[in-house]
Amino acid sequence: MRQQADIGLIGLAVMGQNLVLNMADHGYTVAVYNRTQERTDEFVAGAAAGTTVVGTADLEELVASLSKPRKVMMLIRAGTAVDTVIDQLIPLLDAGDVIIDAGNSLFTDSIRRAHRIEEAGLLFVGTGISGGEEGARHGPSLMPGGSGAAWPLVKGIFQDVAAKLEDGTPCCDWVGSDGAGHFTKMVHNGIEYGDMQLIAEAYHLMSGALGMGAAALSDAFAHWNSEKLESYLIEITSEILKYRENDRLVLDTILDAAGQKGTGKWTVIASMELGSPTPLVAEAVYARMLSSLKDLRVEAAAVLGAPSTTPAETPDVSDIRSALYASKIVSYAQGFMLLAAAADTHDWELDFSSIATMWAGGTIIRSAFLAEIRRAFQADPELENLLLDEYFSAEVTDAEGGWRRTVGAAVAGSLPVPAFASALAFYDGFRSERLPANLIQAQRDYFGAHTYERVDEPRGKHFHPNWTGTGGETTAGSYQA
C-alpha cells in the first residue's frame, strides 16, 4: 500500500505542475489529477519522475489517496469549471476536509463558494498565488482566505513553499474570511496593471521624447533598479530592452497591442462598487483597451495626424524617474484604500503590514518599495492612506516638481501619459480642502431634487431649495422612480 498523500492537486497546467514540484521539494507527498489522463501520465513519468508525486486516474482515486483531514487544491480555469469540480468533490469528502481554490477566481464567487462548502460541513480556502511559473516552482506569494479553521491545516504546506524575505519571513499569511484572499490577489493584480503602465509610459517618453536608444534605456532602468525603484518589473524591463535575436531587438518586433485576463477590470469594478477611487488602475486598463484597437489607431493617425514625439520642452531622465516613483506611491495608496473599503464592507480584519509582506517577495510586484509600506502600517495600523505617512508624503513632495514637468511636457508634446497624469490629478484632488463638487451637487439638486449638504450645517443634514420657483419641496428621496 502506497503512502497516503499530504495534499491533492487538480489541474496540471504549467502553474499546477510547478507548484506540485515545489511541494515535493519540501518533502510533501502530492497526489495529482488532470482531466486529461495523458497529461497526468506524462507529468508523473517526466518532470515528476523520482519525486513524491503520485498520479491518480479520477477524483475518487485522488480523494482516496489523501491522508485525513483531506486537502484538495484546484488550479484550474476560474469560472464554472471551479463550481463543477466542487460539485464533484463534495460527495467524496468528509466533514472537516478542505477544498482549496488556488486559481484567479473572482472574490464574490469565493464568498459564495465558502458559504456553500461550509454548509456541506467542509472547509474552504480561496488563495491568490502570484509569481508566475517561476514563482510557483521556486517560491510564490500566497494570499489565503476562507474558513478560519482551515488555516492550521494548510499553513505548514503554504508557508513552506512560499517565497521568503531575507529574514526568513514567508510571503504567505492568513488574510481573512470567505473571499478576502482572492480580493487581495485581485487588488495585487490591479496594482500590477498600474505598475506596468507607468513603466511603459516612462519608456515611451525616454524613447520618443528623449530619443534614447535601447542600450541607454536598459542602463537607465538598471540604474533605477539599484535604488528606491528596485523591483522585479523594473529589473525585467532592463533585460527586455537589451534582448536580441539575430542582432535585432525583440521589443521592436512586438505588436503594440496589450492583452489582459480581467483582474484589472475586476479591480476597477470593485472600486466603483465600494466607492473607493482607483483611477490609475482604471487608466491602465483603458490604455490596454486602446492599444488593442491597433487597426483603428493606424487609420486615425492617417486622418488626424500622428502625435509628435519631439515636444518643445523635454523632461530629463531624472524628472521621468520622479514621475514614475510618485505615481507608483499614489497607485499603492489607492490600492490599500480599496482594501480598507472592502474590509469595512465585508467585515474582514485585514492586516495591511502582513499584506505588504506577502507582496514583497515572490510576486510580480515584489520590490524594495513594499518594505516601506510594511513599515508604515506596522508603525500605524490605523493609517488611513499611505500619502499621510511621513515618509511617503515627503517622497511625493520631493518628486513633485519633476512629476509636473514630465506630465506638462508630455501633454505639450502630444505624448499620452494617462497613468502619470491620473496619479497627479488624484494627488492634487486628495490634498484639496475644497473641490468643485459643490457645483455638481447643485446641478443634481436643480434637475433631480437630489438634495445637498451645507458647509455651515452638520454633515448628514440635507437641503433642497425651490430653484425655479415651480419645483416645490419634494426631493428625490421622497419617492421611487
Side-chain angles (χ1 to χ4, degrees), residues 293-309:
L293 303 176
K294 175 66 175 179
D295 294 342
L296 184 58
R297 288 190 290 114
V298 171
E299 181 181 351
V303 174
L304 303 173
S308 168
T309 58

Side-chain angles (χ1 to χ4, degrees), residues 130-316:
S130 179
E133 299 168 13
E134 179 184 352
R137 182 66 185 88
H138 300 291
S141 168
L142 293 142
M143 296 155 256
S147 309
W151 179 228
L153 304 179
V154 301
K155 180 179 180 180
I157 299 175
F158 277 35
Q159 292 194 334
D160 280 348
V161 303
K164 308 293 189 299
L165 300 184
E166 289 185 3
D167 63 1
T169 302
C171 297
C172 170
D173 205 349
W174 190 249
V175 178
S177 60
D178 49 58
H182 276 133
F183 188 92
T184 301
K185 175 55 164 52
M186 179 193 74
V187 174
H188 161 282
N189 282 25
I191 290 173
E192 178 185 306
Y193 273 60
D195 274 357
M196 294 172 74
Q197 178 63 27
L198 291 171
I199 292 170
E201 290 179 13
Y203 154 74
H204 193 191
L205 286 170
M206 290 192 292
S207 61
L210 303 185
M212 293 172 63
L217 287 165
S218 177
D219 289 345
F221 280 99
H223 174 68
W224 292 349
N225 196 51
S226 69
E227 41 104 71
K228 291 178 181 178
L229 279 168
E230 178 191 348
S231 69
Y232 173 72
L233 286 170
I234 293 287
E235 177 187 353
I236 67 169
T237 299
S238 177
E239 295 297 319
I240 289 167
L241 283 161
K242 62 184 180 184
Y243 186 79
R244 294 178 176 272
E245 289 182 350
N246 300 320
D247 203 33
R248 186 178 184 187
L249 187 69
V250 169
L251 182 59
D252 288 344
T253 71
I254 299 175
L255 186 72
D256 56 319
Q260 55 185 312
K261 291 189 175 180
T263 46
K265 179 182 71 175
W266 290 351
T267 304
V268 177
I269 292 171
S271 77
M272 291 180 176
E273 292 175 339
L274 292 167
S276 182
T278 58
L280 194 149
V281 179
E283 290 294 351
V285 172
Y286 285 129
R288 292 195 189 191
M289 293 178 180
L290 182 60
S291 78
S292 71
L293 303 176
K294 175 66 175 179
D295 294 342
L296 184 58
R297 288 190 290 114
V298 171
E299 181 181 351
V303 174
L304 303 173
S308 168
T309 58
T310 54
E313 296 181 10
T314 58
D316 61 30

